[in-house]
Amino acid sequence: MSEECTHNCSTCSQSCSDRQETPESFLAEANPMSRVKKVIAVVSGKGGVGKSLVSSLMAVTMQRRGFHTAILDADITGPSIPQAFGIHGHAAGTANGIEPMETSSGIKLMSINLLLRDEADPVIWRGPIIAGTVKQFWSEVCWGDVDYMFVDMPPGTGDVPLTVFQSLPINGIVVVTSPQELVGMIVEKAVRMAEMMNVPVLGLVENMSYFECPDCGKKHTPFGDSHIEELAKTHGVGATARLPINSKLAGACDQGLIELFEGDWLEAVADVIEKV
C-alpha cells in the first residue's frame, strides 16, 4: 500500500495487496417482458405463522388501492398461494417465457403448484435446485406491469431466503410473527438477517394475535400477550399490525376466496409500503 493511498480503489491503478474490487452483483436479470417497480418479501423465522396469509392480504389490499400487484410464491416445498385465491390448473409457456396466472381481481401469481402435473405432488428437491427455481420465477416469468410484487418466502434464513435477498431487487420486507415469546425470538433472526443484507424492515405483522368475542366484543389473547410493539421499537420499525384469530378469514383461504376478505388490519403497513 502506498503512503499516499486514499483507500478509494476506483481512482487508483495500482495492484497492491490491499486493493478492494467492486463487489460482484448477484442480481438475476428480470424477464424482458417484466416491469416490476417494487419487490416486497414477506418473511419469518419459522413456519406456520401465516406468511402466505399475510402475502395474500397485502396483495389484495394494495390491489384495492388501485395498484397492479403480483405474488411470487417462493415457498417451493409448501406452496399455498394458489389455493388461497382458488387458482388451479397450469401456467402456460410462450416464446417469451412463462405466463403467470391471474386471480379474479387481476393479481398475478406464480407458484410451483401451477407447474406440477398434479398439485398434490410433493416437491422433493435439494436446496440449490429449489433456490434456482425461485430465480427462474423472476427471470423466466413474463410478469408484465407490476407496481408491487410480494414474495411469499419459506421460513428460516437458509438457501432460498438468501437467494431471494441476493438475486431479487428487494425494496423491503414485512416480518410475520405470532405472540409466543419463542416465535418472537426466532423471528428476530429474520429481522437481523434483513439488517445484515441492508434491506429495510417495513412492517411487523403479528398473526393469531387475539380472538374477539362475537357476543361482547372483548378481545382475548389465548397465545399470550403481544410483544410486537417491543420488537418494533427494538429494530426501529414504524408500522405494525395485529391479525385476529378469525374463522371467516381461515375459511376464505380454504375456499379460495381470500380476495373477498373484510378487515382493515393491514392498512398501516400498506401505508408504509405505498411510500417505498
Side-chain angles (χ1 to χ4, degrees), residues 32-233:
M33 306 299 292
S34 299
R35 293 166 296 278
V36 182
K37 295 180 181 178
K38 303 295 180 182
V39 182
I40 311 297
V42 180
V43 308
S44 182
K46 70 181 297 296
V49 297
K51 290 182 300 299
S52 297
L53 172 63
V54 172
S55 298
S56 302
L57 295 179
M58 287 305 320
V60 174
T61 298
M62 299 307 289
Q63 189 83 2
R64 289 177 179 177
R65 293 189 175 200
F67 297 103
H68 298 293
T69 66
I71 303 178
L72 189 159
D73 190 352
D75 195 350
I76 303 299
T77 59
S80 55
I81 292 296
Q83 174 64 37
F85 288 89
I87 299 295
H88 304 282
H90 299 88
T94 68
N96 296 318
I98 305 171
E99 292 292 332
M101 300 192 73
E102 289 193 19
T103 70
S104 58
S105 67
I107 299 173
K108 297 180 179 181
L109 307 179
M110 178 49 60
S111 171
I112 194 65
N113 263 15
L114 303 178
L115 300 175
L116 298 176
R117 179 165 44 183
D118 186 328
E119 62 182 27
D121 289 342
V123 177
I124 310 175
W125 297 343
R126 294 192 182 276
I129 299 177
I130 295 175
T133 301
V134 174
K135 290 177 65 175
Q136 287 180 293
F137 282 175
W138 172 254
S139 59
E140 297 186 17
V141 174
C142 306
W143 291 102
D145 292 313
V146 174
D147 296 312
Y148 293 98
M149 172 183 285
F150 294 92
V151 182
D152 182 23
M153 301 273 274
T157 56
D159 284 347
V160 175
L162 182 59
T163 295
V164 171
F165 279 126
Q166 292 183 327
S167 303
L168 274 61
I170 304 296
N171 298 99
I173 69 169
V174 174
V175 181
V176 184
T177 182
S178 62
Q180 297 97 322
E181 289 187 18
L182 176 62
V183 175
M185 180 272 292
I186 295 174
V187 169
E188 193 165 0
K189 294 179 183 290
V191 174
R192 292 185 178 182
M193 179 182 183
E195 293 172 348
M196 293 172 65
M197 302 297 293
N198 294 318
V199 177
V201 181
L202 304 177
L204 298 179
V205 178
E206 186 176 74
N207 190 27
M208 299 176 284
S209 183
Y210 61 89
F211 169 73
E212 187 171 343
C213 177
D215 296 324
C216 66
K218 184 178 180 180
K219 293 181 179 180
H220 303 273
T221 54
F223 296 121
D225 294 334
S226 174
H227 299 283
I228 192 170
E229 297 298 338
E230 300 170 17
L231 192 60
K233 184 177 181 179

Side-chain angles (χ1 to χ4, degrees), residues 22-35:
T22 302
E24 179 184 357
S25 174
F26 293 100
L27 285 177
E29 187 174 350
N31 186 282
M33 306 299 292
S34 299
R35 293 166 296 278

Side-chain angles (χ1 to χ4, degrees), residues 204-207 228-229 239-243 265-269:
L204 298 179
V205 178
E206 186 176 74
N207 190 27
I228 192 170
E229 297 298 338
T240 61
R242 298 173 64 195
L243 290 178
W265 310 291
L266 296 175
E267 292 301 321
V269 178

